[in-house]
Amino acid sequence: MTARTPGLLERDDQASAIDAVLAAGRRGEGRLLLIEGPPGIGKSRLLQELRTRADGPARVLSARASKLEQAFAFGVVRQLLEAVTRDAGDAATAFEGAASGARSIFDDAPSEGSGASYAILHGLHWLTLNLAETQPLVLVIDDLHWCDASSLRFLSYLARRIESTRVVLAATTRPLVHAVSNGDVGGDVLVELLDELLSEPDAVLLHPLALSPDASAALLAETLGTTVDPAFAAACFEATDGNPLMLRQLAHSLQAEGTTPTAEHATTVRRVAHRALARTVLSRVGRLPATTVAVAHAAAVLGETASVSLVAELAGTDPDTVVTATSELVAAEVLRRDTTFGFVHALVRDAIYHDLPEAARAQLHARAAKLLATAGAPAERVASQLDLAPRTGDPWAVEIATLAADAAVRRAAPDAAAAYLRRALDEPAPPELRAELTHRLGTVLVDVNGPQAAEVLREAVALAPDPLTAAAIEVELLQMLVFTGGQHEANAIARARAKQVPPDAIDLQALLATFRANSATFGAHDPEAFVALRPTRTKPMGDGFGSRALASLTSLMWACDGGTAEECAKLALWSMEGEEMLMRRQPMPAAGALLTLSLADRPESLGFWEDARAEGHRTGAQLLHWTIDVWLGAERLRRGDLSEAISLLEEATRIGRRWTGGAKIPFGNQFSESSLALALLDRGDVDQARARLDASPLVPNETVFSGHMWLASDAQVKLAEGRFEEALESTIQQERRSEWMQVPLPCDWRGPRATALHRLGRTDEALVVADEALKVAEHWGAPRTVGPALRLLGELRGEAGLPDLERSVAVLEHSTARLELAKSLAALGAARRRSRQPTEARAPLERAYELARACDATAVAEAIRTELAASGVRRPRDEVGGAGALTPSERRVADLAADGRSNREIAQELFVTPKTVEVHLSAAYRKLGITSRHALPGALV
């Protein structure tokens, strides 16, 4: 065990944990270390210990978050990495490959992305990996609870990908409940991001406790440099509850008063301690010269990155005096020795800062903003000071805040941009700018928080200078309302505005019709909205974006109203021509066509989904990213790629929770959770499938589309749980809610109902329902829909159903749905075995087993393995091979490796970690029976 460092009392367990984390980082097993505790408990001291122990074997980069700069875009990230990226030697390799996407954070070059660009997060991730290439990297952040949202979003992104890297991420934070109640964490987005990081399952969490009476006595003796009487030590412990910071500050105050640590001075301890920490600090500082106090005030206002000359100007003195004052403040344990203006603790800085009257503080911030602007500081840093200055209607303040918002957008930091735009509006902005700035704020918030965006866009509509501008803004508002539970309001707005917009404004009329119908799919009662779509089936309103958006939604609604796969897919493909649908930050218009193509089992559907996801990565539009991950995850599930589906759907759930800002929007994550439940069922995790559905409970009497999906998944889970009567009831509920959807193709209730009836001994009724399900599927005509319907009917018919099962397999051979094919092959093999045809049963069962394993459908594969054993074939659980056994993700990685790409290049292209590439390649080698990538081209043929 490492010997105890002086001053590190009763922290042996934490020191050992620090050593273990650093050793793991050196081995290439990256770690997230979080030190959580109340103020003054010793978190920063442990972080300093980590820095000391890491220095040498590893490169250590540090940052300290500040409440003053919480709106400063990527402020903490820039503290950590900016000096490194400015160094010519480091910069030559730091921005190689995908890391180039992070350049805009460190310079003023405009970024193509907008919002919290995943290209930038991905770029920062690879920048970190590049820096760790030659030496282990330790990133250290103090006071994480004051971190800006952009940096916190990256740290969360990095933490989920830190495994198998030579990176250690270590941070201190106050407990989330404490931080929220004290106003340390500003806003729902920051709370959600910090909670996400603190909830990382693999994080190493340290919770330093208060010191014991004996350790408190030792700390006092160390601080005072003399022996301490037990009674005096006991009084100090009682006054501070063993909080190390309070003990040190108390000791210094007593020492400054000339109080010796004897038993007779124990009562003096109680008198001094009663003043509390702030008064204790101020009492000590008050004995210093007035110029030194002024320097302390200026440093508290400007922050620890301020220059000596700037502090001198704000304090009204000269640089030489500032240097002298700094030495005096270090000696008084107000400032740290390792920085020019860094306070020993945030509580000490707060004491100095709040010693100033509120009006005086505000005026100092106003002066600081002017001084920074004169010195050529970035607009964001100037605006951070303005945020704490008085609002006086100054046009200069509006201009600075607007420039800061522009810079934040360029740096893909919508949270910061929103804060600066709010500041511009609060100045207040002049009337001629309010409409524009309010609209910009609403647009920025679309990438941050849906409910807030809706609120601001409502105001922007009211401020719009003319009806056409108001209508254009309302189109943005309508999408926010639909996604945030305001579908009834959205429907009313779309209907009212359509009457006011000129008929020749075709694109705008088409968009209003699109969102009117969309609001109905989300639960607004408006059956006429669907009737109004019917003319678009054969004659779109025009050729612009709005008309194509309307055609996109029409294709899906037509599918649910008796259309065929061929005709609906044709309309969907027309709507997607030119790719404009994918180039917009509004995901809802494109989703209809993409879902239609998926249901139609069209091979090009996956390409569209992948293109849409790439666009989401490039622009960083969170709403687009959320929507695409939900539906691409569902598409991957339909194709049988369970691992990829689960990864996408879990990411969608995280984004959705964050984007809604914790608002109780019942269907916010029902889409992703419903699909996740089905994927987990095929994995065999029934309990977890139930937990995912319970995480987004059904809303009574709601007809929203996501509710249909939830009920369909709920019925399947209940069947797996053996709750057949309840499963039947779920299908009945779903049918009742389907009045607006004649053919609920994405989530048909007939299959689960037939299965439930059969399990309840009502097979005759089940056969009627299954036969109806087959007729619906055959009318639609997609193999992915017809195949499962034939399988269900064949299974219910027993021996007479063999032809149905054979036909099911034949149909699915032409489908992209590999897992459905595996299930039909398994059903055919089992039926043949039960018909005393064991030899004929083996071939379909063997193939079904390989497909199920390739799909990572553990439960399905295990059931098939059991059936194989009954037919006389023993298969080890891990025996599966050949190119056909590769999962889609493994195949994609293997193909890129066969083309000569390195693991790093593959990881960068696919937006995954190098570890993920290694795992997929290892699995591919095992299944293909090869030992190196040189053999891949031949093995993949």
Side-chain angles (χ1 to χ4, degrees):
M1 181 180 295
T2 305
R4 182 180 71 80
T5 303
L8 196 63
L9 295 161
E10 295 186 333
R11 299 291 188 256
D12 288 346
D13 288 346
Q14 286 92 340
S16 296
I18 286 171
D19 286 336
V21 163
L22 292 174
R26 289 192 294 271
R27 292 193 305 268
E29 301 169 6
R31 291 286 189 273
L32 168 64
L33 172 69
L34 296 171
I35 306 172
E36 186 181 43
I41 204 66
K43 304 185 297 296
S44 298
R45 181 66 187 81
L46 284 171
L47 208 60
Q48 178 57 45
E49 187 68 19
L50 180 142
R51 277 192 290 259
T52 301
R53 296 182 183 215
D55 194 27
R59 167 184 271 176
V60 182
L61 301 177
S62 301
R64 180 185 290 259
S66 166
K67 195 170 185 178
L68 179 66
E69 296 185 346
Q70 206 165 30
F72 196 17
F74 286 107
V76 166
V77 165
R78 283 193 269 184
Q79 275 192 62
L80 280 172
L81 303 174
E82 191 162 31
V84 175
T85 59
R86 298 295 188 202
D87 181 86
D90 281 317
T93 56
F95 289 111
E96 284 184 351
S100 62
R103 278 190 181 276
S104 62
I105 291 173
F106 304 101
D107 56 39
D108 293 324
S111 166
E112 288 187 9
S114 60
S117 172
Y118 282 79
I120 286 181
L121 298 182
H122 189 59
L124 281 171
H125 173 232
W126 278 97
L127 172 60
T128 305
L129 295 189
N130 288 346
L131 292 173
E133 186 71 12
T134 57
Q135 186 180 13
L137 182 65
V138 178
L139 302 177
V140 176
I141 301 113
D142 210 356
D143 292 330
L144 189 67
H145 47 277
W146 281 327
C147 188
D148 62 279
S150 307
S151 296
L152 201 52
R153 187 171 282 112
F154 164 64
L155 296 175
S156 180
Y157 184 93
L158 175 64
R160 295 198 301 274
R161 295 160 176 82
I162 206 168
E163 184 187 9
S164 301
T165 70
R166 297 204 298 171
V167 178
V168 168
L169 173 59
T172 66
T173 182
R174 297 177 185 177
L176 188 57
V177 173
H178 181 283
V180 172
S181 63
N182 283 279
D184 295 322
V185 184
D188 292 335
V189 172
L190 283 165
V191 172
E192 186 65 43
L193 286 166
L194 187 56
D195 183 51
E196 191 174 291
L197 196 57
L198 290 169
S199 302
E200 274 298 313
D202 296 326
V204 177
L205 296 174
L206 301 184
H207 297 94
L209 302 175
L211 299 179
S212 68
D214 288 345
S216 297
L219 180 61
L220 286 169
E222 186 178 292
T223 304
L224 295 171
T226 186
T227 304
V228 178
D229 185 272
F232 185 92
C236 290
F237 174 78
E238 182 181 346
T240 63
D241 290 324
N243 183 290
L245 174 68
M246 292 183 147
L247 275 166
R248 284 196 182 89
Q249 293 296 328
L250 176 60
H252 285 299
S253 290
L254 290 166
Q255 194 174 46
E257 290 186 357
T259 304
T260 55
T262 59
E264 56 267 28
H265 287 136
T267 55
T268 305
V269 169
R270 296 183 181 89
R271 176 177 57 80
V272 173
H274 184 67
R275 298 173 186 167
L277 177 65
R279 295 184 63 188
T280 301
V281 171
L282 294 176
S283 173
R284 194 164 70 253
V285 172
R287 299 187 183 93
L288 299 174
T291 52
T292 301
V293 176
V295 168
H297 287 152
V301 166
L302 286 167
E304 64 182 75
T305 59
S307 66
V308 170
S309 59
L310 195 62
V311 170
E313 287 191 76
L314 190 61
T317 185
D318 59 85
D320 289 341
T321 302
V322 169
V323 173
T324 301
T326 301
S327 298
E328 292 172 337
L329 291 167
V330 168
E333 285 212 3
V334 173
L335 297 181
R336 304 196 308 274
R337 294 183 184 276
D338 59 333
T339 65
T340 306
F341 299 113
F343 287 85
V344 295
H345 196 277
L347 292 179
V348 175
R349 181 262 176 191
D350 286 349
I352 302 293
Y353 181 76
H354 290 289
D355 179 46
L356 289 162
E358 186 175 353
R361 287 200 310 269
Q363 288 302 326
L364 273 179
H365 282 297
R367 282 185 56 210
K370 292 284 188 181
L371 290 171
L372 283 165
T374 302
E380 293 162 279
R381 194 172 294 280
V382 178
S384 294
Q385 289 290 334
L386 274 177
D387 193 43
L388 299 167
R391 274 62 170 160
T392 61
D394 186 349
W396 175 81
V398 175
E399 180 186 2
I400 287 293
T402 305
L403 288 172
D406 292 341
V409 168
R410 286 199 304 272
R411 298 186 196 280
D415 318 84
Y420 296 134
L421 287 168
R422 288 189 191 280
R423 176 63 182 85
L425 286 164
D426 287 346
E427 184 57 21
E432 64 270 18
L433 287 179
R434 287 199 69 81
E436 177 192 343
L437 291 176
T438 302
H439 183 205
R440 285 187 61 191
L441 175 59
T443 302
V444 164
L445 285 170
V446 166
D447 286 333
V448 178
N449 184 295
Q452 289 180 18
E455 180 182 344
V456 173
L457 287 171
R458 279 193 197 94
E459 185 181 350
V461 170
L463 292 170
D466 57 75
L468 281 179
T469 303
I473 298 172
E474 273 181 338
V475 168
E476 300 175 52
L477 171 62
L478 291 173
Q479 181 166 246
M480 292 301 99
L481 290 173
V482 168
F483 274 116
T484 58
Q487 63 272 25
H488 302 289
E489 180 186 353
N491 186 263
I493 290 173
R495 295 168 72 175
R497 184 61 69 179
K499 296 175 183 177
Q500 300 169 14
V501 172
D504 59 351
I506 295 174
D507 238 34
L508 190 51
Q509 284 284 6
L511 278 173
L512 290 169
T514 301
F515 284 106
R516 175 185 173 185
N518 259 318
S519 70
T521 69
F522 275 76
H525 182 70
D526 184 11
E528 288 302 311
F530 302 124
V531 175
L533 298 179
R534 289 176 181 169
T536 304
R537 297 175 183 178
T538 54
K539 188 178 181 182
M541 291 176 65
D543 196 38
F545 173 75
S547 296
R548 291 183 185 274
L550 186 61
S552 170
L553 180 63
T554 299
S555 71
L556 179 59
M557 292 300 98
W558 192 5
C560 295
D561 191 35
T564 67
E566 183 178 355
E567 57 196 5
C568 295
K570 181 179 179 181
L571 182 61
L573 287 168
W574 178 84
S575 76
M576 298 297 292
E577 284 179 4
E579 295 189 344
E580 187 184 10
M581 293 286 284
L582 297 180
M583 297 300 113
R584 298 290 185 111
R585 292 169 63 208
Q586 294 183 341
M588 194 174 285
L594 293 176
L595 184 53
T596 299
L597 293 172
S598 177
L599 294 171
D601 208 4
R602 294 294 294 250
E604 55 271 78
S605 68
L606 185 60
F608 278 125
W609 284 117
E610 294 288 6
D611 288 347
R613 189 165 193 249
E615 180 66 8
H617 274 293
R618 188 186 72 80
T619 64
Q622 286 215 65
L623 184 57
L624 175 60
H625 205 277
W626 178 23
T627 307
I628 296 302
D629 277 4
V630 169
W631 293 113
L632 179 55
E635 170 68 1
R636 287 288 186 189
L637 175 61
R638 291 187 189 96
R639 288 174 177 256
D641 188 357
L642 295 193
S643 295
E644 184 75 5
I646 290 171
S647 175
L648 286 164
L649 293 165
E650 286 180 339
E651 176 69 8
T653 300
R654 275 193 293 269
I655 296 172
R657 190 186 306 119
R658 187 189 305 150
W659 187 79
T660 55
K664 300 298 182 183
I665 300 169
F667 45 82
N669 273 323
Q670 278 181 343
F671 289 112
S672 54
E673 299 286 23
S674 299
S675 295
L676 261 174
L678 295 179
L680 290 164
L681 276 187
D682 286 330
R683 281 270 187 91
D685 196 341
V686 179
D687 291 342
Q688 187 60 29
R690 169 53 56 198
R692 300 315 294 240
L693 290 177
D694 290 345
S696 56
L698 190 69
V699 180
N701 304 317
E702 185 60 78
T703 60
V704 64
F705 187 48
S706 64
H708 291 274
M709 296 190 66
W710 190 96
L711 283 166
S713 297
D714 180 61
Q716 296 282 18
V717 173
K718 283 173 177 171
L719 288 171
E721 293 170 326
R723 298 158 61 188
F724 307 127
E725 288 282 3
E726 294 174 69
L728 181 60
E729 177 56 33
S730 290
T731 69
I732 293 170
Q733 278 196 59
Q734 189 184 350
E735 185 182 11
R736 286 180 188 145
R737 299 179 184 211
S738 297
E739 293 179 3
W740 61 273
M741 190 164 46
Q742 298 299 314
V743 186
L745 281 171
C747 44
D748 195 358
W749 47 264
R750 294 175 180 86
R753 179 178 296 181
T755 303
L757 288 168
H758 174 63
R759 298 301 294 270
L760 290 168
R762 298 159 61 180
T763 303
D764 288 345
E765 295 174 70
L767 282 166
V768 172
V769 176
D771 188 60
E772 181 184 349
L774 178 59
K775 289 176 182 175
V776 169
E778 288 180 327
H779 176 76
W780 174 243
R784 182 185 289 171
T785 309
V786 175
L790 282 166
R791 180 176 70 243
L792 173 62
L793 192 60
E795 287 178 319
L796 292 178
R797 285 177 172 170
E799 287 191 21
L802 269 171
D804 297 309
L805 295 174
E806 289 168 350
R807 187 178 162 213
S808 174
V809 169
V811 166
L812 287 168
E813 290 284 6
H814 304 288
S815 169
T816 59
R818 296 201 310 164
L819 186 53
E820 292 299 334
L821 175 58
K823 291 177 181 179
S824 290
L825 284 164
L828 176 60
R832 285 176 176 173
R833 182 189 63 79
R834 288 192 296 270
S835 299
R836 293 172 295 283
Q837 303 175 51
T839 303
E840 291 81 356
R842 290 168 190 161
L845 287 172
E846 292 267 15
R847 189 172 170 218
Y849 182 67
E850 291 184 2
L851 281 171
R853 288 297 302 262
C855 293
D856 201 22
T858 312
V860 178
E862 186 59 24
I864 297 170
R865 197 176 72 85
T866 302
E867 191 63 47
L868 270 170
S871 69
V873 178
R874 301 287 179 181
R875 291 293 298 268
R877 284 187 172 86
D878 60 351
E879 182 190 356
V880 58
L886 300 180
T887 69
S889 298
E890 290 165 357
R891 180 71 198 218
R892 198 157 61 247
V893 168
D895 283 339
L896 290 171
D899 286 341
R901 312 280 185 87
S902 69
N903 285 11
R904 287 172 67 84
E905 289 171 337
I906 296 169
Q908 291 176 11
E909 181 171 336
L910 298 181
F911 286 87
V912 297
T913 66
K915 176 65 174 178
T916 300
V917 173
E918 290 173 13
V919 169
H920 285 331
L921 276 180
S922 295
Y925 292 166
R926 177 175 54 80
K927 293 177 181 180
L928 295 170
I930 60 177
T931 58
S932 73
R933 66 200 309 127
H934 300 297
L936 277 170
L940 290 171
V941 175

